[in-house]
DNA sequence: TCAAGCTTGATGCAGATGCATCTATTGCCT
DNA sequence: AGGCAATAGATGCATCTGCATCAAGCTTGA
């Protein structure tokens, strides 16, 4: 709670745990997907947003806002997803620069398959280790660490 | 706390927060280093371990245990660090395969410079946002999510 | 109305990562 | 000893990321 420039020991410890645990868990989840021959987590993030967006789809810049991928990253990720038939790019009527990305039926299927594995990972790695109250507490505390915008 | 395969909503939320916040914070810290013309965080992790190890240095496989870098990752990272004079590789007497990595004076300097910026990031990004008690709580809760080994 | 500047999205290039595999050495087991 | 497996570390190759920059389309203001 101080404003000194040197971090308190508790802050250092919390930081270290945060970085280490998040990386570990991410890797575990990624590994589980790979073991089932499924695409990487990044695909899930995008397919999830697009599935929620529905038939209207989303513009790439909206995906950038919702996920925290960089612009060039989304650009190429979408190219890969399109090449694989998971999404389709539609021209947008009132803006000749833009495009609307819509998830395809195949994309919805992929998303569902991934969730079966990803969701299980979350249940095992987090859900099984802390109680509901503790999980809520974690969310609340981490929520206070978010950078400016955000809502998720 | 259940063992069903579908994760509880609290678990999903906590997972999402964890992934998002950790990435954001990591990026902020990384950005701060870059803005000061300093090397990436990965360098800090290794230099930190080596600095703690002292004159005796560490074997690459020990670094792999302490950090969570992959073997090939450490191998190339050390090559870069050595090329930049931050560490030196010494042959090891009783094992012809191995080598001992020791931090150089320059490496210690780099580590110190990086800490000035990195430590400030930690103070600002977490130290200033939660109380000492809350930070301790975060560490404790995250600690329960660690995968098998670990101690940090 | 048209030039200057902003926004949207793509891309060339350098560097980093992931994967599989390779070499060298050591340790073990018979 | 002699061979076989395990360990330590490096590396070729494909992919991915990060950075800078680009082209195309839009918007604004004089």
């Amino acid at each position: 709670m101080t404003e000194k420039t040197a971090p308190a020991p508790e802050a250092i410890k919390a930081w270290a745990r945060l970085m280490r645990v998040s990386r570990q868990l991410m890797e575990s989840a990624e590994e589980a997907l790979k073991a089932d021959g499924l695409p990487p987590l990044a695909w899930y993030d995008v397919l999830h947003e697009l599935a929620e967006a529905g038939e209207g789809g989303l513009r790439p810049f909206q995906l950038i806002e919702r996920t925290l991928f960089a612009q060039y990253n989304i650009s190429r990720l979408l190219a890969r997803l399109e090449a694989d038939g998971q999404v389709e790019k539609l021209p947008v009527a009132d803006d000749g620069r833009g495009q609307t990305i819509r998830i395809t039926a195949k994309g919805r299927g992929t998303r569902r398959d991934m969730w079966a594995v990803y969701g299980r990972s979350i249940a095992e790695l987090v859900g099984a280790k802390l109680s509901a109250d503790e999980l809520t507490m974690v969310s609340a505390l981490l929520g206070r660490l978010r950078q400016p915008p955000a809502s998720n």
Side-chain angles (χ1 to χ4, degrees), chain A:
Chain A
M1 269 327 194
T2 166
E3 325 124 11
K4 294 197 354 279
T5 84
E10 296 87 2
I12 298 176
K13 176 105 173 199
W15 177 280
R17 280 275 163 86
L18 183 56
M19 294 309 150
R20 186 168 288 249
V21 169
S22 63
R23 246 203 292 180
Q24 266 186 207
L25 296 183
M26 176 87 85
E27 271 169 28
S28 294
E30 200 83 67
E31 205 176 311
L33 286 172
K34 201 167 311 180
D36 271 40
L38 291 166
L41 267 183
W43 285 37
Y44 184 84
D45 290 344
V46 169
L47 291 176
H48 172 69
E49 293 298 334
L50 290 174
E52 286 206 327
E55 284 311 302
L58 287 175
R59 303 272 308 259
F61 72 87
Q62 295 178 296
L63 280 168
I64 293 170
E65 292 164 5
R66 285 167 170 70
T67 63
L68 24 85
F69 292 108
Q71 184 271 323
Y72 55 81
N73 219 322
I74 282 289
S75 174
R76 293 200 255 230
L77 185 42
L78 289 177
R80 276 174 255 148
L81 286 168
E82 185 191 28
D84 204 53
Q86 309 280 352
V87 306
E88 49 191 350
K89 298 185 176 184
L90 315 167
V92 75
D94 56 332
D95 189 340
R97 297 166 298 183
Q99 49 190 292
T100 294
I101 310 296
R102 194 166 59 193
I103 190 170
T104 62
K106 178 177 180 186
R108 290 184 192 277
T110 300
R111 198 225 150 197
R112 192 174 351 93
D113 294 346
M114 292 184 77
W115 179 246
V117 174
Y118 188 25
R120 180 164 46 243
S121 291
I122 293 175
E124 286 169 3
L125 297 170
V126 162
K129 301 257 174 76
L130 297 176
S131 72
D133 281 353
E134 290 169 330
L135 288 168
T136 301
M137 167 123 302
V138 168
S139 296
L141 290 170
L142 291 179
R144 303 215 350 243
L145 301 179
R146 280 176 302 188
Q147 301 293 74
S151 70
N152 188 2

